[in-house]
Amino acid sequence: VIDSSCSFTGWSAGALSVSVNGSLTVKNTKSYAAVSGTQRSGGFIGDMSGLKQPAVISFEDCVSDAIYTEKSKYCGGFIGHVYKNTNMTIIISNSINKGNVIGEYAGGFFGVVWNNTNISLTILDSVNDGAVTSYDYSVGGFVGSIDSNTDSTITLSNTTNNGGVGWSSSVGGFAGIISSNSEMVMAISNYINNAGVRGDENVGGFAGRIYINRDMNITISNSTNNGIITGNKDCAGGLLGLINVD
């Protein structure tokens, strides 16, 4: 347990580690710490960037109930910033985010996953209970943004978003934006959004905006939106706010 008496502050901040440079397994761990970073803040890890060797990052039976004391760019309940890695596997299972996350590119589990090559991201049997808020851009119950990745696989199974998401453009119960990816396979099954999702535009119970992706295959099955979806300007949908094909 990382208890509430602990606090972590910096340009990048994480209660478990500021950054990771190899494989990591985290089990049965809870964080209640205060985290304050101007960029790349996470309830467990602030930043995972530039790994070239194969790496496996796994969280099992973990709870993040971190307190975010500053609005951060790239802020996630588990990991803030996943950038420019090659041959990486990330698995989160039987885990919960309870912390209220606030920032630009903010998510209940990940702030942003972008510009990676050959990355596999799997979230199983996990729940976001924390409110996720951005007053700027791209916010999701699980991931703020999935952007500019090559040869990637995203798997989401038996997951639920209970945390309210909102107050920016591109807002989703799972992800705010999924954009500019190539050769991506995304499989979503037994996903439920129970929370209100609200934003200016591009608002959805699953994803706010999906656009400019190449060779992308998305399958959504046995999934439900029970939340109220509100777009103050335009493009709001029960599962998807807006899909652009360029």
Side-chain angles (χ1 to χ4, degrees), residues 175-227:
I177 288 179
I178 302 169
S179 74
S180 305
N181 301 284
S182 61
E183 301 176 53
M184 170 179 280
V185 176
M186 179 175 288
I188 312 301
S189 61
N190 301 307
Y191 163 80
I192 300 173
N193 175 59
N194 290 321
V197 181
R198 183 172 183 175
D200 286 334
E201 58 186 0
N202 306 329
V203 185
F206 172 70
R209 187 177 185 186
I210 299 175
Y211 73 112
I212 322 178
N213 297 286
R214 182 174 61 85
D215 296 331
M216 183 178 190
N217 186 322
I218 301 180
T219 303
I220 301 176
S221 61
N222 299 317
S223 297
T224 304
N225 173 56
N226 295 319

Side-chain angles (χ1 to χ4, degrees), residues 111-130:
V112 63
V113 178
W114 71 299
N115 207 13
N116 300 281
T117 301
N118 191 21
I119 183 171
S120 173
L121 172 61
T122 301
I123 304 176
L124 306 173
D125 304 309
S126 295
V127 177
N128 175 54
D129 283 335

